[in-house]
Amino acid sequence: MLLGAIADDFTGASDLANTLAKGGMATTQFVGVPTGSERYDCEAGVVSLKTRSIAPDEAVRQSLAAVDWLEAQGCEQFLFKYCSTFDSTPQGNIGPVAEALLERTGAGMAAVCPAFPATGRRLFMGHLFVGDRLLSESGMENHPLTPMTDPDIRRWLRRQTKGEVGSVALDVVRAGPQALAEAFEARRKEGCRLVVADAVDDEDLKILGKALAGLRLITGGSGIALGLPANFRDAGLLSGARSSGAVAAGPVVALCGSCSAASQRQVAAHLSSHPGLALDPEAVMSGTMTADKAASWVMEQHTDFIPIVYSTVNPAAVARAQRELGREKLAAGIEALFADLACRLADAGFRRIVVGGGETSGAVVEALGLSSMVVGDEIDPGVPALVAERDGALGLALKSGNFGADDFFAKAAGLIGRP
Ligand SMILES: Nc1ncnc2c1ncn2[C@@H]1O[C@H](COP(=O)(O)OP(=O)(O)O)[C@@H](O)[C@H]1O
Ligand SMILES: O=C(O)[C@@H](O)C(=O)COP(=O)(O)O
């Protein structure tokens, strides 16, 4: 393993794994920190954690366990992947985890860059934009767990860190890899251990990647990885072999626990020509709707029609249900139903599962007891086809709430395996 990454959620891990695989690295996504002494022969390993919204101390503990394991696998460069909208609170977890990783890896300084231009996330003068809006006016200011009320990533990160935060502006990035590497070194000498770098398009990210060659630690969204495979290729370290998992073959189901604007559009588009079962939160919490009932409904459908089970509703309905049933309890109840449903269907012979939502994906993949997934072709920007081993090949797609075109569910079903 050459490059070891730690991602703070499962769909984010999948997003990063997609970038690395597209760049030509044989990539494996791990479910949590693997136990045991097995050595994996992939070129990039991405450990998926669920640390974005937990207590900072626990996020640090899990991230350090991940970096120790990756180092034991032979990695010499490490990447901490967080959300392209920098999802975090004034307490963390990006700053505390990044500082702990700096310490553990012995890195003198690490770049910070959430930019992901393909999905409209751009960083200019330290300010993060989503499309043509500042982050704090993009809807992310209303995020239920990590409201992003300040678009200045330098200022936001400074609130989370003990050490100084520096920055390099776009003109320095565009001066090229050499000048940029010198600017990073200058910031390090000034005492900055985390340095926020602007990036507006993919070329900027490729320059960044080149400037970061050989550094022990990098942090960012998946965009920061765009230029990294070329460093390993130029050093003659890549085999050029495509990761080839077995092909999943069998019935398919889609599960969506994401309520994002993109997921609402995708579920509505899917329902116009495919069967769907809506999970009513009250029915889930009272036990009127169970995984057993949902599984029976799925099994009654013709799987060629890609049935979808979803809890997706608009923000007003989410707020109402959270008020009445309790936000955390409800989230956990719905996640548990999806997790149980996925297991029942996989046990019943379903071989392809498309999941919408980061927390939902984490719950499903953990319940399925998968340990790793081989990363295949891209379905839509940021979402690859995955194949895992569970009594034979199991095809998966883990979609970040905000990602994917309107026809995502049908398209993914066709790309993660065959009937
Ligand atoms: N109808 C609903 N009302 C309230 N909460 C819901 C509803 N449907 C899903 N949830 C919860 O909302 C959260 C959605 O998060 P997630 O799966 O990460 O999606 P996203 O990637 O869009 O953030 C999950 O914890 C899920 O259980
Ligand atoms: O960087 C991104 O935007 C994604 O990779 C990501 O982390 C998405 O998180 P969720 O929207 O919570 O799925």
Side-chain angles (χ1 to χ4, degrees):
M1 220 181 275
L2 302 168
L3 177 67
I6 301 147
D8 68 354
D9 88 341
F10 278 63
T11 43
S14 206
D15 173 15
L16 173 65
N18 179 55
T19 304
L20 294 169
K22 272 202 307 181
M25 295 186 87
T27 305
T28 299
Q29 180 176 345
F30 297 96
V31 180
V33 183
T35 50
S37 56
E38 185 175 347
R39 259 191 103 77
Y40 293 84
D41 65 0
C42 53
E43 293 162 338
V46 183
V47 174
S48 330
L49 299 178
K50 221 167 174 275
T51 49
R52 189 171 289 175
S53 305
I54 64 174
D57 287 356
E58 181 56 16
V60 164
R61 194 192 64 73
Q62 292 187 29
S63 305
L64 290 177
V67 84
D68 288 347
W69 181 80
L70 289 163
E71 186 161 33
Q73 290 287 322
C75 297
E76 291 192 351
Q77 188 170 52
F78 305 95
L79 169 52
F80 170 36
K81 156 73 174 71
Y82 38 77
C83 194
S84 59
T85 42
F86 213 69
D87 297 16
S88 53
T89 68
Q91 290 72 45
N93 291 339
I94 296 175
V97 170
E99 288 192 315
L101 292 174
L102 276 166
E103 187 90 20
R104 182 61 63 95
T105 58
M109 88 76 237
V112 172
C113 183
F116 187 7
T119 57
R121 278 77 157 161
R122 297 181 170 86
L123 201 77
F124 182 61
M125 294 299 173
H127 286 66
L128 186 56
F129 290 81
V130 177
D132 65 355
R133 313 300 302 178
L134 282 165
L135 177 66
S136 51
E137 299 170 13
S138 69
M140 283 305 293
E141 71 276 23
N142 299 320
H143 191 284
L145 299 174
T146 49
M148 298 304 294
T149 51
D150 188 347
D152 186 336
I153 296 307
R154 301 161 299 180
R155 192 164 54 196
W156 191 254
L157 183 60
R158 214 168 273 137
R159 297 174 71 176
Q160 303 176 6
T161 55
K162 295 195 190 96
E164 247 322 294
V165 173
S167 61
V168 284
L170 191 64
D171 53 339
V172 180
V173 174
R174 292 195 172 168
Q178 181 65 32
L180 180 54
E182 283 164 15
F184 279 132
E185 181 55 14
R187 298 297 177 278
R188 188 189 68 77
K189 285 191 175 141
E190 288 159 17
C192 300
R193 304 208 61 200
L194 292 170
V195 180
V196 178
D198 282 354
V200 165
D201 62 27
D202 285 357
E203 277 314 304
D204 302 328
L205 290 164
K206 286 183 188 156
I207 295 170
L208 255 165
K210 205 163 189 156
L212 299 171
L215 293 191
R216 285 284 278 170
L217 180 67
I218 299 168
T219 85
S222 62
I224 194 92
L226 218 57
L228 300 182
N231 296 337
F232 295 102
R233 188 175 303 106
D234 293 348
L237 295 171
L238 297 192
S239 67
R242 292 280 294 154
S243 308
S244 59
V247 176
V252 64
V253 65
L255 309 174
C256 189
S258 164
C259 297
S260 70
S263 296
Q264 288 177 64
R265 283 197 306 276
Q266 290 153 353
V267 169
H270 196 73
L271 291 175
S272 67
S273 48
H274 303 86
L277 174 68
L279 298 179
D280 170 44
E282 203 168 315
V284 172
M285 297 313 279
S286 68
T288 321
M289 172 54 75
T290 60
D292 188 37
K293 280 190 186 161
S296 302
W297 177 86
V298 173
M299 285 188 258
E300 281 160 18
Q301 310 306 310
H302 195 304
T303 56
D304 281 359
F305 298 152
I306 317 171
I308 184 167
V309 180
Y310 62 98
S311 62
T312 312
V313 285
N314 62 39
V318 172
R320 202 168 42 246
Q322 287 180 334
R323 248 192 334 269
E324 284 164 13
L325 300 161
R327 190 186 68 188
E328 258 117 55
K329 251 173 122 178
L330 178 56
I334 294 176
E335 284 176 36
L337 190 146
F338 277 120
D340 191 1
L341 174 59
C343 291
R344 284 167 193 266
L345 293 174
D347 290 344
F350 280 70
R351 295 279 93 197
R352 291 175 288 154
I353 306 180
V354 183
V355 192
E359 297 298 320
T360 309
S361 294
V364 164
V365 168
E366 279 177 350
L368 286 169
L370 310 178
S371 55
S372 65
M373 299 171 277
V374 176
V375 183
D377 292 338
E378 180 175 74
I379 301 167
D380 270 330
V383 197
L386 300 167
V387 60
E389 167 59 37
R390 190 185 193 271
D391 302 328
L394 181 70
L396 291 153
L398 309 179
K399 186 193 82 72
S400 151
N402 295 317
F403 289 174
D406 288 358
D407 63 350
F408 178 83
F409 289 110
K411 190 173 166 191
L415 290 177
I416 59 173
R418 55 183 164 73

